[in-house]
């Protein structure tokens, strides 16, 4: 255990300011009648990669603070066994995260208000509300059991210390240790740290899913859509491999529908699981299309 034999670190306190932040968040969540992310991209408008996403009026709003978070959220939205995705999930029980930090002898994340703006009792370092990047449900593909998981996302260079004086990376690792202990020890819930090399963040997969999602809302009559699916499968399951452009051309000719519309239907069928192709390969017009060996699902 890190720092176990070191002098005990003085932890920040829980003041009225911290409690007010918690109350304000719970009030907003109660007003909306559903989960809302604790932090929003609007609060970090200076961060060029921060973004907000809500795919439909009735769906959950997601807040992303990096391209990696956005790409991971895209992949989760496609996986067949994932549901109830929440972003920027607050570890609202700050007394528990403080207790975990104390047990690990790691400094709890903290903030200090500007002097003169708050009363004396609220001056100095005080405990911040920690957040976990993603929390979601998934159905275990082996057992069929529904499980919950908490996930932190970090770029490889954010968690790999190459210099003993790298204090920023060290603080990141400390925060992750608190998160892990909170979820696993206090909540008895699965927790994972995912870095930029994880399969869900494969550049080809992300690029292909981004194209497919842009075509997810095509308005195509069911009977015509079914004909498209049959013709695509006919060529995909044949002995000859086709490049994407050639595949779309052949189906458009069979259907007597334009190349452009057929191209859109191909991606619509990908997004809605009407076709299973290998999304880890580049699917530019000059690339060959291969059948997927299995459905895309969350598994570690």
């Amino acid at each position: 255990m890190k720092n176990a034999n070191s002098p005990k670190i003085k932890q920040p306190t829980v003041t009225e300011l911290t409690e007010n932040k918690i109350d304000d968040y719970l009030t907003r969540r109660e007003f909306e009648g559903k989960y809302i992310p604790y932090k929003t991209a609007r609060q970090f408008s200076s961060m060029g990669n921060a973004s907000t996403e809500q795919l439909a009026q009735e769906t959950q709003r997601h807040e992303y603070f990096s391209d990696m978070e956005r790409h991971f959220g895209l992949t989760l939205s496609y996986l067949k066994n994932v549901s109830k995705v929440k972003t920027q999930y607050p570890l609202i029980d700050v007394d528990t995260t403080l207790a975990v930090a104390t047990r690990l002898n790691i400094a709890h994340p903290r903030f200090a208000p500007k002097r003169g703006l708050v009363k004396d009792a609220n001056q100095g370092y005080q405990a911040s509300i920690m957040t976990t990047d993603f929390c979601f449900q998934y159905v275990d593909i082996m057992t069929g059991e529904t499980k919950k998981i908490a996930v932190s996302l970090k770029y490889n260079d954010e968690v790999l210390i190459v210099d003993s004086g790298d204090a920023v990376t060290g603080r990141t690792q400390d925060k992750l240790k608190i998160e892990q202990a909170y979820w696993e020890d206090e909540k008895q819930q699965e927790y994972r740290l995912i870095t930029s090399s994880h399969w869900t963040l494969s550049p080809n997969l992300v690029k292909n899913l981004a194209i497919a999602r842009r075509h997810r809302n095509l308005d195509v009559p069911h009977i015509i859509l079914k004909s498209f699916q049959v013709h695509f499968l006919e060529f995909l399951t044949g002995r000859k491999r086709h490049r994407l452009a050639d595949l779309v051309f052949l189906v458009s000719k069979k259907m007597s529908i334009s190349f452009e519309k057929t191209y859109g239907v191909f991606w619509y069928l990908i997004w809605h699981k009407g076709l299973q192709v290998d999304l880890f390969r580049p699917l530019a017009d000059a690339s060959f299309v291969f059948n997927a060996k299995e459905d895309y699902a969350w598994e570690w």
Side-chain angles (χ1 to χ4, degrees):
M1 186 182 299
K2 183 180 177 182
N3 297 330
N5 298 318
S6 302
K8 292 299 180 182
I9 293 175
K10 182 179 180 181
Q11 300 292 354
T13 58
V14 177
T15 68
E16 183 182 7
L17 290 181
T18 308
E19 293 170 346
N20 286 345
K21 288 177 181 290
I22 295 172
D23 290 342
D24 289 345
Y25 169 73
L26 293 177
T27 299
R28 288 187 288 114
R29 194 166 73 179
E30 183 179 3
F31 175 78
E32 296 210 16
K34 59 183 180 182
Y35 174 80
I36 58 174
Y38 182 72
K39 298 177 182 177
T40 68
R42 184 178 299 178
Q43 294 172 288
F44 299 88
S45 57
S46 60
M47 296 172 56
N49 295 335
S51 60
T52 298
E53 174 182 79
Q54 187 165 1
L55 297 181
Q57 185 70 28
E58 69 280 1
T59 59
Q60 178 67 58
R61 187 180 83 241
H62 298 312
E63 301 288 344
Y64 306 130
F65 297 149
S66 68
D67 287 338
M68 183 165 63
E69 289 186 14
R70 181 166 50 83
H71 294 164
F72 186 71
L74 170 62
T75 298
L76 289 184
S77 68
Y78 180 71
L79 299 182
K80 69 172 186 176
N81 63 334
V82 168
S83 63
K84 297 186 178 180
V85 178
K86 299 179 176 68
T87 57
Q88 314 308 329
Y89 192 90
L91 313 189
I92 209 78
D93 185 359
V94 67
D95 290 329
T96 300
T97 55
L98 275 167
V100 170
T102 299
R103 186 175 77 246
L104 298 176
N105 203 23
I106 294 173
H108 190 283
R110 63 189 186 179
F111 72 97
K114 293 182 179 179
R115 290 186 176 277
L117 297 181
V118 296
K119 53 189 178 183
D120 291 344
N122 292 330
Q123 292 289 352
Y125 287 116
Q126 41 209 289
S128 297
I129 306 302
M130 298 179 62
T131 58
T132 295
D133 298 324
F134 284 84
C135 291
F136 57 91
Q137 283 189 180
Y138 71 97
V139 176
D140 190 298
I141 59 176
M142 298 297 293
T143 66
E145 180 184 359
T146 299
K147 299 179 178 180
K148 294 182 179 181
I149 184 173
V151 171
S152 295
L153 294 176
K154 294 297 175 198
Y155 289 99
N156 289 332
D157 59 5
E158 289 184 289
V159 293
L160 180 62
I161 295 180
V162 295
D163 182 346
S164 60
D166 189 351
V168 174
T169 302
R171 285 196 297 272
T172 298
Q173 289 190 334
D174 286 349
K175 178 180 178 294
L176 292 173
K177 288 180 179 179
I178 297 173
E179 280 188 77
Q180 181 178 9
Y182 173 86
W183 287 112
E184 294 181 348
D185 300 340
E186 303 298 327
K187 299 298 181 181
Q188 287 76 53
Q189 185 170 311
E190 184 180 3
Y191 170 84
R192 298 289 184 181
L193 169 63
I194 287 179
T195 65
S196 43
S197 57
H198 193 255
W199 69 267
T200 53
L201 298 165
S202 161
N204 285 332
L205 176 66
V206 168
K207 183 177 180 180
N208 290 330
L209 289 181
I211 297 172
R213 193 168 68 175
R214 287 200 294 271
H215 293 88
R216 71 187 183 278
N217 292 327
L218 290 182
D219 186 13
V220 183
H222 178 75
I223 189 168
I224 295 178
L225 196 63
K226 193 66 178 177
S227 295
F228 268 117
Q229 184 184 32
V230 168
H231 290 309
F232 273 119
L233 287 172
E234 175 188 347
F235 289 112
L236 284 170
T237 56
R239 301 182 69 178
K240 184 180 179 181
R241 288 286 131 238
H242 298 282
R243 298 180 190 276
L244 178 57
D246 296 333
L247 176 65
V248 171
F249 173 77
L250 290 169
V251 174
S252 69
K253 190 174 180 180
K254 281 257 189 180
M255 293 289 295
S256 298
I257 293 178
S258 72
F259 180 94
E260 290 75 15
K261 289 183 178 179
T262 303
Y263 178 82
V265 170
F266 170 82
W267 289 110
Y268 176 94
L269 288 169
I270 294 294
W271 185 259
H272 294 282
K273 316 297 191 299
L275 296 174
Q276 293 287 346
V277 304
D278 188 349
L279 298 174
F280 290 100
R281 294 174 180 268
L283 283 178
D285 290 350
S287 301
F288 287 101
V289 183
F290 291 84
N291 291 320
K293 296 180 179 179
E294 57 188 19
D295 292 342
Y296 293 89
W298 172 264
E299 59 178 335
W300 187 251

